[in-house]
Amino acid sequence: MTRRRAVGLALEILVPILILLAWQLYTVHAHSFKFPRLSTILVDFRHEYLFAKFRSDVVPSLQRIFAGFAIGALAGVALGIPIGMSQFLRRLATPHVEYWRAMPPPALLPISIILLHSIGDRQKIAFIAFFCLFPVLLNTIDGVRAIYPALLDTARSFRIPRYQRVWRLVLPSAFPQIVAGMRNSLALAVIVLVLAEYWSSANGVGYELLISKNTFQFGPMWATIVLIGLLGYVLNALFLLVERRALAWHRGWRAATPQ
């Protein structure tokens, strides 16, 4: 297992390096102003985002991601648990959930600006939270519905209060699926953030992408694209670290359970 993990880690590092090397070799001979050399992009990246614009653009974007993700995840869990436990609520909520979760984010961006009378942080955080809600909500509902009915019946027979059943039985049982939904929501938060900042912002990485594209600064444009990819990768890696700690009991239980 250790050797397999080492090979997997080596491939995870080697493949991006080979892709970047191929990019550099291609652009050295292509001489295309639309596709700068990787070395040029890295210089622009260092100049733009490691020093000059980190506080003015990267920090606000991260704050919007974390705030929108946290609000959406909490709302998804708070709504998903009662919906998952009640067949009546599921029938009532399912048409609305399926309708709004299928709505593409660009279609709702103008509405969010009009309803909130703003293109500031409040609009962007609400926009991110709305789309982060659905993966957590759906996974919470499925996680609650997957609980073995005999467990709930036993808890009722012992007259355990409802809030205790939710806190000590329902939430821990559904937690692995809730965390899976949160991971999807976090990736979605980065996508929705870039869209919101691209069309309705005065700062942030999406705004910088728009400005560099409109002014034909292709080096900073590609540097911003690299930054967006790095943000998604780093946030996912950090989430996986938290997930391993939060679900350590679940992995131990699965390992001890006979297959």
Side-chain angles (χ1 to χ4, degrees):
M1 181 63 69
T2 303
R3 182 178 180 182
R4 183 180 300 177
R5 291 181 60 182
V7 171
L9 181 61
L11 289 175
E12 186 176 348
I13 297 173
L14 181 61
V15 171
I17 292 176
L18 292 176
I19 293 174
L20 295 177
L21 181 62
W23 180 298
Q24 176 69 10
L25 293 175
Y26 171 76
T27 53
V28 164
H29 301 287
H31 302 291
S32 172
F33 71 96
K34 295 181 180 179
F35 298 98
R37 298 179 182 180
L38 177 62
S39 55
T40 303
I41 294 174
L42 294 179
V43 170
D44 288 330
F45 179 88
R46 179 177 63 85
H47 175 72
E48 295 283 332
Y49 297 114
L50 296 185
F51 299 101
K53 297 181 180 179
F54 182 83
R55 183 181 295 272
S56 62
D57 290 307
V58 180
V59 171
S61 293
L62 289 174
Q63 291 173 342
R64 293 161 186 161
I65 288 174
F66 289 136
F69 167 74
I71 294 171
L74 289 175
V77 174
L79 293 173
I81 289 177
I83 293 174
M85 295 179 67
S86 170
Q87 185 176 5
F88 171 76
L89 290 178
R90 284 199 301 275
R91 289 180 177 177
L92 189 66
T94 297
H96 304 282
V97 173
E98 294 299 327
Y99 178 84
W100 289 107
R101 83 181 185 94
M103 191 70 64
L108 296 182
L109 182 58
I111 297 176
S112 70
I113 297 172
I114 294 172
L115 292 179
L116 296 174
H117 307 286
S118 171
I119 60 171
D121 286 348
R122 183 177 63 172
Q123 177 264 332
K124 293 172 186 60
I125 292 172
F127 191 65
I128 294 170
F130 180 80
F131 286 98
C132 287
L133 165 71
F134 294 104
V136 179
L137 174 62
L138 293 172
N139 276 43
T140 302
I141 293 172
D142 288 342
V144 172
R145 292 187 64 188
I147 297 174
Y148 191 51
L151 295 177
L152 295 174
D153 293 338
T154 302
R156 291 191 194 97
S157 67
F158 280 99
R159 297 183 179 179
I160 298 176
R162 179 180 290 270
Y163 74 92
Q164 289 285 355
R165 294 202 302 266
V166 170
W167 181 252
R168 297 183 179 276
L169 177 60
V170 174
L171 189 59
S173 299
F175 192 60
Q177 279 194 254
I178 293 173
V179 172
M182 287 181 177
R183 185 180 177 189
N184 291 331
S185 288
L186 185 59
L188 187 59
V190 178
I191 298 172
V192 176
L193 167 84
V194 174
L195 174 66
E197 290 182 344
Y198 190 88
W199 294 108
S200 60
S201 184
N203 63 357
V205 294
Y207 172 77
E208 287 300 318
L209 184 64
L210 173 67
I211 294 301
S212 58
K213 185 265 295 183
N214 287 345
T215 55
F216 300 99
Q217 300 180 62
F218 293 108
M221 183 190 76
W222 282 104
T224 305
I225 294 173
V226 170
L227 173 66
I228 294 169
L230 285 175
L231 284 179
Y233 183 86
V234 171
L235 290 175
N236 181 70
L238 292 175
F239 187 87
L240 287 177
L241 290 176
V242 175
E243 179 185 17
R244 289 193 185 99
R245 287 183 173 272
L247 293 180
W249 61 270
H250 180 66
R251 291 198 305 274
W253 173 79
R254 292 188 62 182
T257 302
Q259 302 296 326

